[in-house]
């Protein structure tokens, strides 16, 4: 060895040595940068648009948070919201997962105590990005618990931080439960794995607390309360159970269930709902088995085998029978959404309201790829690694991934639950591959430290592998960047378009109309719209709505669906009974905005028809398909939705070279032209027609009463009309007059 | 004694016998949403003493709709109390001090300008989208004045006359001519009405406010809030987007589609929003207007504001301190405009609020206007004792009140470092305590591995 080579060698050894020395610092710095990146990549929406609450559900959360910081937490528990579900109202305190609101309320109060008078809207807008940073830290911790390796943790943290699926629910402004609960989910798993690894009761308590936060934040906590028992059961069956598992599970189960019951929306469901049954069963099982193994010390070996066989069969059988009996007796119930998870066709058959939501649809392969991208390819490597040399925590990771894949395939929305699992698995897999490649490279450069082994990958291939992996990872990062800055940055209440010069135009029709409602209708006016817009109307217009995105009362939604699907006369009767002052419809025929009410109309028909059988879906199909043109059926063209959406539409030219009244979404000229509305009048239409608001006219004088002498003498003014005191004098005179006239 | 003082206070309106208005020519412009009356008044002093104060009286039925009155040749305006006029005539008196007194047996022509709002009454009260807005204007035939008027002639400029009640008036196209009338006694009134077409949106601000926060770090933050209402004829029947759109400028002429505001030239970070976020329809440009460099902001409301409709919005911007804040040791002098920056609008109520940096003391406000003043403290970012805040309230406010308000105060240079030091200290404490706690061994039971 020449001296030159020696110095080179010693240099690389020096580098190696100092790198090792500084590794923890690198580790922390990288982790911190990942946290910062995860925040920053989610702020594109604020940069491109503005600091505003997105979509639909976040508007309710935002409104509740506003109420919370204004009135305090106790007032929130007792809040009976009269602005929604008119005339029923909604008890918000008992039907809400308050974790999200409490979190932002807490941040708000603390900051105000520190004399940082930040606006609550900004707390809400930036909450999800901040929590995504926490999520990436939790994912680091969880991966480290699974593999005991920092580099896998770092990769996982990076993957979680920018995974598009999670990003779609946590961009700035997307103020939804998922924003905080994905953190809660990963953190619960992290603490649970820590407990599994250490057997520490303290960490078990932390797990229960993290679980409590999860329960407070999202209905998706059912995933945790099922996956942990399944994991424990798996260990029991494979004979890997031990004292640590028992400590971890018992502490988690007892404290977690007790804490879950503290949330009013969950309450005793934590005991008797079907989602929790598995946890009860496993609790009984693990303790019974433990008790049994303790007994084993005192009984002979032969007896033990028979006893085991008998008891296991007995236990499993009795639990099964118990569950079946409870289910049949109606003591325990599966919620519609959970049933949909077990039987993906369930909702389609029985509950159209669940099926109508696009995020409850089965996941398509394209959305798998768009939301997870290369992680799908990497994660099987991690999965393989987990099964290759299994430990308890690795089994947990693998189980979580497998179950996540199943749930994600059933519902698009649950891709969100899968995203951390896949990211962690991909992180594990890639770091494993990296490690293998790096070892071979190192054995080439630093033969003294890394002893060359016989079957090691040749360094040339390793370098190619490293480059390839790096390339794929960077493609993933680019894709995530695209998703964060373009695909998921839109707040959906603000649309934007580009004109021929490339200028960006903001289409702000929603807010235009909602603000019109807020400023120019009476404070107690009731707005009827399809339930999608309920939260936005109460949030932005501060007006009472009939139905909203909470969808707790199917009948009420069906009534609104029926009103929309009925003829104008019938709809007027329904609206009058429901005290509706304004009807709001979304119409995209001018701007080619496809998410409008005519396209959602079939769901209104289906949901309405589910409760009111005289509404039949076939009646709305012209020539076998759903259409709005001249072949549309009479039921369709007479329906309120059709009438309101296309009111005076035939007077405008929408597309070049097409006749007037050409619907750009349906690509057809509307079938009925030149009609007048009798009971409704156009109160407001936004600039691009996206939102149309119609006012219900008052009943005309003597409306609906045929003026024949016979009928008049029999006609008595019904009691319902008596509240109209303003005109009662006139009415009396008229009444008297008609009576005299008849005599 | 008390009576004497009382008399001295109230009998300030002294009109010499031989001091008369020899000629008055009034031009009433009814073409805009607000009413502008320009009068050329020739005073004749046949007495023996020079007259340097003249009086303008306004009937109390109109006094709160008068948002500005001025005499060109005067240098001081004062609201004075006169029991006689107040109770006998039910009127308010303004006293103007002339720059050049009217010497005995001489004449002086002065120009009086009066600006009114809320004097148009929509008739019919409700109109359709495509209809023209007709309004009724009520006025006195004679100039309401404490002086004897020898000769008066009045012109009413209108966009289009529908009818008028005074039969003796002559109409020339869209101009009405009243008079000439001779020898009108003081305080003579005779009501007449004109029914005319006026399609300008009758919008006013029901409320406006300007909130200013001054930071010695170099920025002045200004936020203006407005509540706007169209008091014109209410919209009857359907709204009709088919008719009312950008291709049909003649439909819905009586709705407010645009406002403009002029901001100081060096303003930056302009924002225009309301309770639910940005209003995306606005434009801003810096340029020269009427010889003054300024930033012109064009504001379109979220929706065109028809009669009876309301809306509200916020306009905010920042100014650099270097131009508006003068320093002399510990003494600071801040010069800012008092009124709001949206042009050609009048507000019923106006609230001006300015917060000086925490630790400012010895605050003096110099404002050439009559306002109500309240002081309070504002707690904003990192404040401990609160920022001294001056709140000025004024009733009817318009661009004419855009006087410069000068605030002088003292502020020690060390105070500026208080907040950064506080943050620094907090973080230092936090880090030190974490370092300490990390080294603390709290394990009670040493477990053997």
């Amino acid at each position: 060895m020449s001296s030159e080579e020696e110095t080179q060698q010693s240099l690389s050894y020096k580098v190696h040595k100092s790198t090792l020395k500084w590794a923890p610092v690198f580790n922390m710095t990288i982790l911190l940068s990942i946290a910062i990146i995860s925040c920053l990549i989610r702020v594109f929406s604020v940069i491109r648009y503005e600091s505003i609450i997105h979509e639909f559900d976040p508007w309710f959360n935002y409104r509740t948070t506003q109420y919370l910081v204004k009135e305090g937490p106790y007032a929130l528990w007792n809040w009976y919201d009269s602005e929604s579900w008119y005339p029923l109202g909604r008890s918000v305190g008992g039907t809400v997962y308050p974790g999200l609101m409490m979190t932002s309320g807490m941040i708000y109060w603390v900051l105000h105590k520190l004399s940082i008078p930040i606006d609550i809207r900004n707390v809400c807008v930036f909450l999800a990005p901040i929590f995504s940073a926490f999520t990436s830290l939790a994912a680091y911790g969880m991966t480290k618990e699974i593999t005991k390796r920092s580099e896998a943790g770092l990769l996982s943290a990076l993957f979680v931080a920018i995974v598009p699926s999670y990003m779609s629910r946590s961009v700035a402004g997307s103020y939804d439960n998922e924003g905080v609960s994905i953190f809660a989910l990963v953190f619960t798993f992290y603490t649970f794995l820590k407990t599994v690894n250490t057997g520490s009761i303290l960490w078990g308590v932390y797990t229960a607390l993290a679980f409590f936060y999860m329960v407070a934040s999202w209905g998706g906590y059912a995933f945790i309360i099922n996956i942990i028992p399944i994991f424990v059961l798996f260990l029991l069956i494979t004979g890997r159970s031990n004292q640590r598992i028992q400590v971890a599970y018992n502490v988690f189960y007892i404290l977690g269930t007790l804490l879950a019951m503290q949330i009013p929306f969950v309450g005793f469901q934590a005991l008797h709902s079907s989602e929790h049954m598995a946890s009860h069963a496993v609790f009984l099982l693990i303790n019974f088995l433990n008790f049994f193994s303790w007994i084993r010390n005192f009984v002979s070996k032969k007896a033990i085998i028979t006893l085991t066989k008998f008891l296991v069969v007995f236990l499993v059988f009795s639990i099964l029978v118990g569950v079946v009996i409870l289910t049949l007796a109606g003591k325990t119930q599966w919620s519609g959404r959970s049933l949909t998870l077990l039987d993906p066709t369930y909702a389609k058959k029985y509950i159209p309201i669940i099926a109508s939501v696009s995020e409850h649809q089965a996941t398509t392969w394209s959305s798998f790829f768009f939301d997870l991208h290369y992680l799908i390819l990497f994660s099987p490597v991690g999965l393989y690694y987990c099964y290759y040399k299994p430990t308890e925590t690795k089994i947990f990771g693998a189980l979580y991934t497998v179950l996540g894949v199943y749930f994600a395939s059933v519902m698009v929305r649950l891709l969100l639950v899968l995203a951390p699992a896949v990211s962690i698995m991909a992180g594990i897999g890639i770091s494993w591959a990296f490690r293998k490649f790096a070892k071979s490279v190192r054995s080439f450069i630093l033969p003294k430290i890394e002893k060359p082994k016989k079957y090691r990958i040749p360094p040339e291939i390793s370098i190619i592998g490293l480059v390839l992996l790096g390339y794929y990872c960077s493609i993933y990062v680019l894709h995530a960047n695209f998703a964060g800055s373009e695909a998921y940055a839109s707040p959906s209440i603000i649309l934007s378009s580009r004109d021929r010069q490339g200028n960006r135009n903001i289409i702000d029709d929603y807010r235009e109309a909602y603000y019109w409602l807020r400023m120019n209708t009476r404070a107690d006016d009731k707005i009827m719209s399809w339930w999608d817009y309920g939260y936005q109307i109460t949030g932005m217009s501060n007006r009472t709505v009939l139905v909203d995105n909470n969808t707790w009362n199917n009948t009420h939604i069906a009534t609104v669906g029926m009103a929309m699907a009925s003829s104008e006369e019938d709809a007027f009767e329904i609206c009058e009974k429901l005290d509706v002052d304004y009807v709001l419809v979304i119409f995209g025929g001018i701007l080619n905005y496809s998410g409008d009410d005519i396209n959602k109309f079939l769901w209104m028909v289906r949901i309405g028809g589910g409760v009111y059988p005289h509404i039949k879906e076939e009646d709305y199909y012209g020539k076998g398909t759903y259409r709005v043109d001249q072949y549309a059926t009479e039921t369709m063209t007479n329906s309120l939705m059709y009438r309101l959406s296309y009111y005076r539409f035939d007077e405008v030219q929408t597309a070049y070279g097409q006749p007037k009244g050409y619907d750009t979404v349906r690509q057809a000229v509307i079938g009925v032209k030149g009609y007048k509305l009798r009971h409704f009048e156009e109160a407001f239409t936004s600039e691009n027609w996206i939102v149309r608001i119609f006012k219900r006219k008052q009943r005309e004088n003597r409306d609906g009463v045929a003026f024949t002498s016979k009928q008049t003498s029999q006609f008595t003014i019904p009691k319902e009309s008596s509240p109209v005191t303003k005109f009662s004098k006139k009415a009396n005179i008229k009444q008297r007059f008609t009576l005299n006239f008849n005599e | 004694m008390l009576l004497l003082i009382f008399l001295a206070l109230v009998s300030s309106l002294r009109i010499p016998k031989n001091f008369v208005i020899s000629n008055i020519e009034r031009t009433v412009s009814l073409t805009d949403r607000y009413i502008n009356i320009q009068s050329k008044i020739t005073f004749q002093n046949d007495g023996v003493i020079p007259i340097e104060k003249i009086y303008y009286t306004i009937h109390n039925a109109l006094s709160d709709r008068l948002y500005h009155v001025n005499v060109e040749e005067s240098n001081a305006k004062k609201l004075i109390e006169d029991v006689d006029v107040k109770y006998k005539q039910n009127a308010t008196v303004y006293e103007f001090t002339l720059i050049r007194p009217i010497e005995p047996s001489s004449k002086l022509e002065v120009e009086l300008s009066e600006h009114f709002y809320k004097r148009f009454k929509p008739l019919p009260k409700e109109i359709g989208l495509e209809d023209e807005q007709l309004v009724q204007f009520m006025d006195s035939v004679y100039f309401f004045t404490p002086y004897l008027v020898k000769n008066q002639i009045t012109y009413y400029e209108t966009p289009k006359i529908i009818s008028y009640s005074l039969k003796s008036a002559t109409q020339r196209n869209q101009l009405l001519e009243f008079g000439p009338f001779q020898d009108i006694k003081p305080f003579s009134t005779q009501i007449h009405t004109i029914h005319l077409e006026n399609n300008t949106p009758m919008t006013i601000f029901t409320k406006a406010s300007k909130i200013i926060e001054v930071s010695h770090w170099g920025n002045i933050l200004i936020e203006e809030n407005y509540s706007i209402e169209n008091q014109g004829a209410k919209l009857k029947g359907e709204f009709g987007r088919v008719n009312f759109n950008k291709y049909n400028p003649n439909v819905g002429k009586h709705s407010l589609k645009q406002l403009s505001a002029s901001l100081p030239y060096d303003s930056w970070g302009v924002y225009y929003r309301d309770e639910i976020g940005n209003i995306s329809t606005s434009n801003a440009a810096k340029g020269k207007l009427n010889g003054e460099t300024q930033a012109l902001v064009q504001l379109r409301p979220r929706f065109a504001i028809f009669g009876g409709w309301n809306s509200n919005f916020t306009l905010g911007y920042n100014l650099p301190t270097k131009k508006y804040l003068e320093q002399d040791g510990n003494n600071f002098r801040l010069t800012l405009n008092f009124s709001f920056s949206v042009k050609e609008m009048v507000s019923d109520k106006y609230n001006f609020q300015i917060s000086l940096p925490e630790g400012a003391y010895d605050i003096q406000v110099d404002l050439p206007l009559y306002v109500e003043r309240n002081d309070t403290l504002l707690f904003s970012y990192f404040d401990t004792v609160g920022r001294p805040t001056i709140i000025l309230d004024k009733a009817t406010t318009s661009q004419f009140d855009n006087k410069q308000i000068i605030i002088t105060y003292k502020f020690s240079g060390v105070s500026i470092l208080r907040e950064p030091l506080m943050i620094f200290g907090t973080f230092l404490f936090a880090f030190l305590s974490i370092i300490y706690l990390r080294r603390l061994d709290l394990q009670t039971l040493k477990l053997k591995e």
Side-chain angles (χ1 to χ4, degrees), chain A residues 49-50 52 59 114-118 121 506 508 511-512 514-516 518-520 539-540 647-648 651-652 680-687 689, chain B residues 235 237-243 246 273-281 300 302-304 308-313 379-384 422:
Chain A
Y49 294 90
E50 60 182 278
I52 193 182
W59 276 99
L114 295 173
S115 73
I116 303 173
I118 188 170
R121 177 175 50 89
I506 296 283
D508 214 352
R511 285 194 294 179
E512 180 188 344
Y514 289 151
Y515 212 63
W516 182 86
R518 187 188 185 104
M519 300 309 298
N520 295 306
M540 277 189 265
Y647 179 61
R648 297 189 71 191
E651 295 171 43
V652 285
F680 295 90
E681 62 177 18
E682 186 181 345
F684 188 77
T685 296
S686 64
E687 200 181 339
W689 291 54
Chain B
L235 185 66
E238 293 202 314
F239 171 70
R241 182 56 86 173
V242 174
N243 317 86
K246 57 187 168 193
R273 53 176 294 127
D274 59 20
E275 289 162 69
I276 58 170
N278 285 351
I279 306 171
S280 47
T281 47
R300 278 177 64 203
R302 276 200 196 278
F303 45 85
W309 289 10
N310 299 291
S311 193
N312 56 16
F313 62 89
F379 288 87
S380 186
Y381 293 95
F382 305 116
D383 289 343
T384 43
M422 220 164 65

Side-chain angles (χ1 to χ4, degrees), chain A residues 218-238:
Chain A
W218 195 32
Y221 77 89
F223 188 69
I224 299 183
I225 200 71
N226 281 304
I227 194 171
I228 290 182
I230 289 173
F231 162 68
V232 172
L233 192 70
F234 185 83
L235 292 187
L236 284 177
I237 290 168
T238 52

Side-chain angles (χ1 to χ4, degrees), chain B residues 273-422:
Chain B
R273 53 176 294 127
D274 59 20
E275 289 162 69
I276 58 170
N278 285 351
I279 306 171
S280 47
T281 47
S282 60
N283 271 314
K286 286 188 176 178
K288 238 179 192 178
L289 195 84
N290 304 333
E292 262 182 84
T293 50
Q294 54 182 313
L296 201 69
V297 187
Q298 291 190 320
L299 310 165
R300 278 177 64 203
R302 276 200 196 278
F303 45 85
I305 298 164
F306 279 90
W309 289 10
N310 299 291
S311 193
N312 56 16
F313 62 89
T314 299
L315 176 69
Y317 53 97
N318 297 278
L319 294 174
T321 45
K322 58 171 182 274
K323 204 170 158 189
Y324 302 89
L325 189 67
E326 290 166 48
Q327 187 182 6
D328 177 23
N330 276 352
N331 295 311
F332 288 87
R333 194 179 125 105
L334 184 71
T335 315
L336 286 168
N337 286 340
F338 175 71
S339 184
F340 48 81
S341 46
V342 172
K343 296 194 293 187
E344 288 157 13
M345 286 290 281
V346 178
S347 179
D348 274 348
K349 280 181 233 155
Y350 182 60
N351 173 275
F352 178 92
Q353 186 179 326
I354 181 161
S355 306
L356 300 171
E358 205 173 21
Y361 60 101
D362 224 355
I363 301 155
Q364 267 150 12
V365 183
D366 177 23
L367 184 74
L369 280 168
Y370 178 73
V371 289
E372 219 175 285
R373 179 178 162 178
N374 289 301
D375 286 6
T376 176
L377 289 173
L378 177 92
F379 288 87
S380 186
Y381 293 95
F382 305 116
D383 289 343
T384 43
V385 292
R387 303 183 189 187
T389 301
I390 300 149
I391 300 172
L392 305 173
D393 278 301
K394 191 177 181 307
T396 317
T397 306
S398 69
Q399 285 294 298
F400 290 109
D401 304 309
N402 209 359
K403 306 273 163 58
Q404 286 198 324
I405 176 168
I406 296 164
I407 297 168
T408 49
Y409 59 93
K410 289 184 174 144
F411 183 73
S412 74
V414 189
S415 302
I416 198 172
L417 288 173
R418 176 157 63 188
E419 285 174 4
L421 282 177
M422 220 164 65

Side-chain angles (χ1 to χ4, degrees), chain A residues 220-372:
Chain A
Y221 77 89
F223 188 69
I224 299 183
I225 200 71
N226 281 304
I227 194 171
I228 290 182
I230 289 173
F231 162 68
V232 172
L233 192 70
F234 185 83
L235 292 187
L236 284 177
I237 290 168
T238 52
R240 288 171 178 276
S241 177
N242 56 35
Q243 203 89 47
R244 285 178 283 120
I245 301 292
Q246 205 200 351
V247 168
Y249 186 73
N250 280 342
V251 175
F252 161 75
Y253 169 78
I254 295 168
L255 272 181
T257 309
L258 282 176
L259 285 170
M261 288 171 72
Q262 309 309 310
I263 304 297
F265 194 25
V266 178
F268 274 89
Q269 274 183 42
L271 292 185
H272 59 67
S273 92
S274 302
E275 281 89 348
H276 290 260
M277 280 303 153
S279 65
H280 307 322
V282 169
F283 175 68
L284 291 179
L285 194 71
I286 192 171
N287 285 307
F288 175 79
L289 286 180
N290 197 41
F291 174 71
F292 183 71
S293 66
W294 179 67
I295 288 180
R296 204 159 53 174
N297 298 333
F298 315 108
V299 193
S300 75
K301 218 173 183 184
K302 214 175 186 185
I304 218 87
I305 291 167
T306 18
L307 201 64
T308 314
K309 276 179 184 165
F310 170 72
L311 280 177
V312 163
V313 167
F314 173 76
L315 205 69
V316 168
F317 186 74
S318 60
I319 286 171
L320 271 178
V321 165
V323 168
V324 166
I325 286 173
L326 282 176
T327 312
L328 288 180
K331 291 279 181 209
T332 174
Q333 266 177 353
W334 291 93
S335 73
R337 283 197 187 112
S338 310
L339 271 180
T340 314
L341 281 180
L342 297 179
D343 172 13
T345 57
Y346 177 81
K348 215 164 206 175
K349 275 186 258 166
Y350 303 106
I351 317 173
I353 202 151
I354 289 179
S356 78
V357 182
S358 63
E359 63 183 27
H360 291 162
Q361 306 293 333
T363 318
T364 55
W365 175 238
S366 65
S367 59
F368 259 115
F369 190 70
F370 190 85
D371 278 358
L372 301 173

Side-chain angles (χ1 to χ4, degrees), chain A residues 144-146 148 192-200 244 392-393:
Chain A
K144 223 182 150 188
E145 287 308 316
I146 292 177
K148 304 277 175 202
F192 180 71
L193 292 184
K194 189 94 180 170
T195 326
V196 167
N197 274 339
T198 57
S200 142
R244 285 178 283 120
E392 292 117 9
T393 50

